[in-house]
Amino acid sequence: MTRTDISGPPPVPPTPSHTVGPFYGYALPFPGGGDIAPVGHPATITLQGYVYDGAGDPLPDAFLELWGPDPEGNVPDVDGSMRRDPATGGHLGRNGVEFTGWGRVQTDADGHWYARTLRPGGRGRSAPHLSVCVFARGLLVHLFTRIYLPDDAAALAVDPLLSRLPGARRDTLLAARRGDGTYRFDIRLQGEGETVFLEFT
């Protein structure tokens, strides 16, 4: 008598990891994603820059989420960044009045991004900054970084994160002032001048 193995097929190996996107065209973008500041607010600033890959080429399909406190350093708890039309279910965008502190922007065909928000205030011992989450092709996991404004040298000097970084690395977290409330901040995912990314445990 021949015995038959009934233990089943050999185990299937796990599905390999996939990179993050690009699959941003559906549901993620919404009207006014980068218009975080209420219309006409006097503390409005504009942030803009490029996202570059390891070869130094701009990424046309990267995605950024930004969070920041208001000018007094308070974290907003206002709903409404992604209001929906109750009739169609479509996104209405922001109401243009309340500051939620949160925004989502996609880079354009040239790898450029911009957002209009309120100048963040300092919180605790931290110098004024915005938190950023980066999604891009080739990434298995999204990345976290910060954008510090260069306007308060004393606060920057004692910031707990910046004070632990060597000069060249520290500079990758500082936006460059361009005048008229505009700042430039480029994000480099790898290579020379790679942006400092944070790991939360």
Side-chain angles (χ1 to χ4, degrees):
M1 178 181 227
T2 304
R3 297 186 67 110
T4 303
D5 182 3
I6 58 171
S7 62
V12 177
T15 302
S17 297
H18 291 263
T19 62
V20 178
F23 45 78
Y24 309 126
Y26 178 73
L28 288 177
F30 67 99
D35 296 325
I36 307 166
V39 175
H41 196 290
T44 297
I45 61 171
T46 299
L47 297 159
Q48 60 178 317
Y50 291 84
V51 178
Y52 297 103
D53 65 15
D57 296 323
L59 289 177
D61 52 11
F63 217 81
L64 306 180
E65 291 187 346
L66 301 101
W67 301 269
D70 66 19
E72 287 73 46
N74 301 312
V75 176
D77 58 3
V78 177
D79 293 331
S81 290
M82 297 179 67
R83 296 177 307 137
R84 288 185 177 272
D85 184 328
T88 67
H91 293 294
L92 291 173
R94 302 179 189 278
N95 64 16
V97 177
E98 287 147 329
F99 175 67
T100 64
W102 179 85
R104 180 187 285 156
V105 294
Q106 184 175 357
T107 55
D108 64 17
D110 299 317
H112 181 262
W113 67 274
Y114 96 97
R116 196 174 46 81
T117 188
L118 296 185
R119 181 179 300 279
R123 302 190 70 231
R125 294 172 50 219
S126 295
H129 68 273
L130 298 169
S131 297
V132 183
C133 183
V134 183
F135 301 82
R137 68 173 115 140
L139 296 180
L140 298 177
V141 179
H142 45 275
L143 302 173
F144 295 97
T145 189
R146 289 181 176 179
I147 302 173
Y148 285 89
L149 300 183
D151 307 315
D152 189 339
L156 293 171
V158 298
D159 180 88
L161 172 61
L162 293 178
S163 61
R164 293 179 9 204
L165 297 172
R169 300 294 289 142
R170 178 181 183 271
D171 289 346
T172 70
L173 298 180
L174 292 176
R177 189 186 302 108
R178 291 291 186 249
D180 297 328
T182 300
Y183 297 83
R184 178 164 176 175
F185 185 80
D186 295 334
I187 296 172
R188 299 181 185 276
L189 300 181
Q190 285 183 313
E192 185 176 352
E194 177 184 320
T195 300
V196 169
F197 296 106
L198 310 175
E199 183 174 284
F200 295 97
T201 57

